[in-house]
Amino acid sequence: MDKQFLQVMTIAGSDSDGSAGMQADMHTFFTRGVYGVSIMTACVAGNSYGIGASITLPSDFIEKEFSLIAKDYQVRAAKTGMLADAELIETVVNNYQKYDFGPLVVDPVIVTKHGNLLLEEAALTSLKEKLLPLATVLTPNFYEAEKLTGRTLKTEDDYAQAANQLQKMGAKNVMIKGAHKKESKQQEVRDYVLLESGQSFWLSEKFYPTDRINGTGDTLSACIAAELAKGKTVEEAIRIAKEYVNIAIREEIIVGHKYGPINHWAAEKQLD
């Protein structure tokens, strides 16, 4: 076959309610016109009210997934989501180094948007020392950037210093996502981007006080990966992903009863 349809890979857990994790990634790949393949690392049982149970898949099974995907598919870019423990992170790192899956977008799922810690210290150390240096693009949220750098982010200079520190830790390009505080009088969300070239800029969009924001981080990183696979520059991919997520949050859909998904259909229709 002379011309393969563009293929992109997610390395993440399966979220049973479809709003986040692997399902959000696959929604995004579909709407951005690329074919998604997946390395499933865990399974989560949950709904819009919360998570009821989760299980991590065995390392030998995950290695087999990597091996079989590599033998058959031409993956042009990939992204990671939540990786539950140090063993899982190291399994992913070893296999990503073994095969050629193109540029890697690392969504370091460490802390929730509400500030709750998701990883133990051993896993955090593995993420910082082994996974982060593989990142073509690193997309921590506000709290994750603070946890990774040990800094408190209050001023624009704090964001710049944190991004520089993350680059020194190995990430080529860094996007620090601004905090979302529904209970505040927040008017906008501002994200700071530092490119490998040294160029930096802020991205700003209106803040929408909604609970329909599950999967925003997954979607952002998946969209960046999809655009990199298409040959977009890192800056172009980040700007497209920011706009995609903003549209998907702005155009609410009512699915579930509490913390619902964002609207991928709206983003697909409004974003070329």
Side-chain angles (χ1 to χ4, degrees), residues 63-197:
E63 289 181 348
K64 181 61 71 175
E65 290 184 282
F66 271 104
S67 173
L68 293 174
I69 290 294
K71 287 178 180 178
D72 192 23
Y73 293 90
Q74 296 179 7
V75 174
R76 301 293 184 88
K79 61 142 294 184
T80 63
M82 183 178 178
L83 304 176
D85 54 42
E87 180 183 354
L88 179 50
I89 291 170
E90 291 176 18
T91 298
V92 169
V93 167
N94 291 339
N95 281 276
Y96 207 86
Q97 291 174 320
K98 185 176 180 180
Y99 304 108
D100 180 10
F101 293 125
L104 180 66
V105 182
V106 174
D107 181 12
V109 185
I110 304 167
V111 185
T112 69
K113 60 180 64 68
H114 306 294
N116 299 316
L117 187 64
L118 297 173
L119 290 185
E120 296 180 353
E121 286 301 321
L124 179 59
T125 298
S126 291
L127 188 151
K128 290 166 66 174
E129 295 180 355
K130 298 181 179 181
L131 182 61
L132 193 150
L134 299 182
T136 303
V137 185
L138 180 70
T139 62
N141 66 28
F142 171 86
Y143 301 104
E144 288 160 347
E146 289 192 325
K147 185 67 176 176
L148 285 167
T149 63
R151 293 177 178 271
T152 299
L153 304 186
K154 292 183 178 180
T155 68
E156 288 190 356
D157 187 62
D158 291 334
Y159 276 80
Q161 293 297 325
N164 272 289
Q165 186 174 338
L166 292 168
Q167 272 195 341
K168 289 177 181 178
M169 293 165 66
K172 293 181 178 65
N173 303 275
V174 179
M175 179 181 188
I176 300 177
K177 297 172 286 188
H180 296 65
K181 298 179 179 179
K182 183 183 175 184
E183 67 280 1
S184 71
K185 296 181 180 179
Q186 185 173 354
Q187 297 297 312
E188 63 179 355
V189 178
R190 301 185 72 218
D191 306 325
Y192 180 76
V193 179
L194 176 62
L195 301 178
E196 186 176 12
S197 65

Side-chain angles (χ1 to χ4, degrees), residues 196-207:
E196 186 176 12
S197 65
Q199 177 190 357
S200 64
F201 54 90
W202 288 88
L203 293 174
S204 179
E205 294 285 357
K206 182 179 177 181
F207 174 73

